[in-house]
Amino acid sequence: MNRSPISKRRPALIRLALLAVLAVLALAVPAVIRHLQAPLVLNVKDEGARGDGVTDDTAAFRLVLQKAANHKYGADILIPAGTYLLDPEHPLPLRSDVRMAGQGGPVLRFGLPGTDRSGYEALSVMGRRISIEGITIDGNYRLIRGIGVHTGSREIRIRNTVIRQMSQPDDPGNPLYSAVVSGVMIYGGTREVTVENSVISRIQAIHPSPVARGIMVWNNPGAPPAKQVRIAGNRIFDITPREDADAIHFDQTAPGAPLSDSIVEHNRISYSAKRGIKIAAPGVLVRHNRITNPYSGNNRYRFPASDRIPQDMYAAISVYASDVTVSDNIIDGVGTFYAAIEADAGTRSLSRIIIENNDIRMSHPDASSKTPADGIGIRLGPTNGASVTGNRISGVPTGLFLPSDLAGRAGQFRDNAVTGAETDIRYPAESARSRGNP
């Protein structure tokens, strides 16, 4: 029996139909997979947060963060404009692949009406690929810490965020009564942490032996040093008290620790009561920062001190580790320093220190110092290798203060312009430390 022409073409038509179906599936299946693997999008108000400045929104935030942590492919947490009241006793945990973003400048305010509860930190960051952007964290002086980036974390970004009003609890029985206060604490064993274009202010320690830090990179026991930290473009101010308050602080590492490979750049610092920047970890580049000393006889100790030093601030930049470069920074203001820039680890010699092209321009009307070592532009302690070149120094009694064994190494200390100083370069008979309160 002869088949019709349609019958003869049927196998070919079926094949074409199958190919068409396969082509559609080839296009559709990846799209479905991408949809299933997309981050979860969560809005805190959809989960019950009010943001009215009156309601306790802690439960809603913790629900959102739990959902984000449970989603295999991460989550975007959106926080609309408003003021969200949160319990300081319950830090908000951010885990891997979570991005928290504010819309319209929301404020997370810690502290509930009718209670005096205090706590540890606002946001507890632990994991990889975590970002925080566009929010204000107001500790309300009920927290000792704004953001903690904990050991093991990597690829962390804090951007366009305001962190303010951190302090210690008033109860002497509270274990946090004398704790270190900080806007951001970056623990050891972390990598690729960025804090940029943010504002950190009103960080204050108020109890005996007070320590306050705007941003602290801490080398906690048992963890390797933090690496590849970038602190850039931030505005940091009102870090107190004078006893021990630094805007940016890299903690001391163990002998033989690897280089930090970190950068501190383009930050603006003022009213940081002891120092602007302290670097005690090797391998940090400090460049293009502006540190202003606005004090004029009004930067007082919070507690009586037997060893009072006469300057308004101890230093703008202190270096206590090797392999550190300090370049192209501006240091100005009406206040006085013990030393605007110092690199001095006491009896331990530093190596590969570069201090170049910095502009130190002080304008205090009473720049005369009370002791020969006070009021210095750049001060070096013992060193196995240092280069101090191209710096401009004015408005201080002593331009450069160098160990006596460097007197014959003019090539390492060239092209520095010192104006208006009583002494351009001072070589003491010995590097006796009259620094008083390092």
Side-chain angles (χ1 to χ4, degrees):
M1 181 175 65
N2 293 329
R3 290 187 297 173
S4 68
I6 293 177
S7 298
K8 293 178 180 179
R9 294 199 303 272
R10 186 171 295 157
L13 292 172
I14 291 171
R15 285 195 296 273
L16 287 172
L18 288 172
L19 288 173
V21 170
L22 290 173
V24 171
L25 289 174
L27 293 173
V29 169
V32 172
I33 292 174
R34 284 196 298 272
H35 176 73
L36 293 174
Q37 293 181 343
L40 190 63
V41 178
L42 298 165
N43 187 312
V44 295
K45 287 198 170 182
D46 292 340
E47 303 297 333
R50 300 290 295 274
D52 57 11
V54 177
T55 305
D56 180 358
D57 288 322
T58 306
F61 268 77
R62 292 184 69 82
L63 176 61
V64 167
L65 290 166
Q66 187 60 57
K67 287 184 176 182
N70 290 342
H71 190 66
K72 183 176 180 181
Y73 299 106
D76 294 329
I77 298 174
L78 306 180
I79 307 176
T83 298
Y84 300 84
L85 295 189
L86 299 164
D87 188 344
E89 291 186 337
H90 295 283
L92 301 179
L94 273 67
R95 299 299 179 250
S96 293
D97 297 302
V98 170
R99 291 159 294 280
M100 176 180 281
Q103 300 173 319
V107 177
L108 278 56
R109 185 174 175 84
F110 288 79
L112 303 177
T115 74
D116 59 357
R117 285 183 288 187
S118 59
Y120 183 60
E121 61 189 359
L123 302 184
S124 177
V125 174
M126 186 179 297
R128 293 190 171 198
R129 299 173 296 278
I130 300 169
S131 68
I132 301 163
E133 183 168 3
I135 64 174
T136 291
I137 299 170
D138 185 350
N140 196 22
Y141 301 118
R142 303 288 187 88
L143 295 172
I144 64 163
R145 190 156 304 146
I147 299 175
V149 181
H150 291 269
T151 300
S153 297
R154 186 167 182 169
E155 298 174 66
I156 309 301
R157 191 178 191 188
I158 301 165
R159 188 171 185 271
N160 294 333
T161 291
V162 176
I163 302 169
R164 68 190 184 200
Q165 298 192 154
M166 304 294 158
S167 191
Q168 299 154 326
D170 289 327
D171 178 9
N174 191 308
L176 303 177
Y177 180 78
S178 296
V180 174
V181 183
S182 62
V184 178
M185 177 73 82
I186 301 169
Y187 288 76
T190 54
R191 298 179 67 95
E192 300 170 70
V193 179
T194 297
V195 183
E196 62 182 353
N197 301 333
S198 294
V199 178
I200 299 171
S201 68
R202 283 168 272 171
I203 311 299
Q204 61 178 32
I206 59 175
H207 299 309
S209 303
V211 179
R213 310 286 185 238
I215 300 173
M216 183 170 186
V217 183
W218 183 43
N219 291 303
N220 45 305
K227 289 181 64 67
Q228 295 173 287
V229 175
R230 181 170 179 263
I231 301 172
N234 303 288
R235 189 158 62 94
I236 306 174
F237 59 94
D238 284 351
I239 315 298
T240 59
R242 175 177 178 145
E243 277 86 342
D244 197 354
D246 303 335
I248 298 172
H249 182 111
F250 277 71
D251 195 27
Q252 184 174 348
T253 60
L259 299 184
S260 177
D261 294 327
S262 295
I263 298 176
V264 178
E265 61 182 354
H266 298 291
N267 301 284
R268 290 178 295 155
I269 297 169
S270 64
Y271 288 101
S272 185
K274 185 172 184 179
R275 294 186 191 83
I277 299 170
K278 175 179 174 179
I279 305 298
V284 180
L285 170 60
V286 181
R287 66 184 180 189
H288 298 293
N289 301 282
R290 183 165 193 161
I291 303 168
T292 299
N293 180 349
Y295 299 108
S296 182
N298 58 349
N299 184 19
R300 302 185 183 283
Y301 287 102
R302 179 173 287 272
F303 301 97
S306 58
D307 184 18
R308 287 187 175 273
I309 55 176
Q311 302 80 23
D312 292 300
M313 286 177 64
Y314 183 73
I317 301 173
S318 292
V319 177
Y320 303 146
S322 297
D323 296 283
V324 174
T325 294
V326 178
S327 70
D328 299 283
N329 300 282
I330 296 174
I331 299 170
D332 62 4
V334 298
T336 56
F337 290 106
Y338 167 75
I341 299 174
E342 61 150 353
D344 186 357
T347 58
R348 178 169 53 89
S349 292
L350 299 178
S351 302
R352 297 171 295 281
I353 300 296
I354 298 173
I355 302 174
E356 62 183 10
N357 302 326
N358 299 284
D359 190 353
I360 301 169
R361 47 189 191 219
M362 309 310 299
S363 57
H364 195 286
D366 297 319
S368 61
S369 57
K370 294 185 179 181
T371 68
D374 294 333
I376 300 165
I378 298 174
R379 184 187 194 283
L380 285 185
T383 176
N384 290 325
S387 174
V388 180
T389 61
N391 300 283
R392 297 166 299 282
I393 304 170
S394 63
V396 295
T398 301
L400 300 173
F401 186 93
L402 308 175
S404 57
D405 59 351
L406 299 180
R409 305 182 195 177
Q412 295 175 252
F413 308 98
R414 66 185 185 279
D415 301 326
N416 297 291
V418 180
T419 59
E422 297 173 11
T423 305
D424 288 355
I425 302 178
R426 184 186 297 276
Y427 296 102
E430 56 181 333
S431 295
R433 293 170 63 82
S434 57
R435 51 196 294 171
N437 186 17

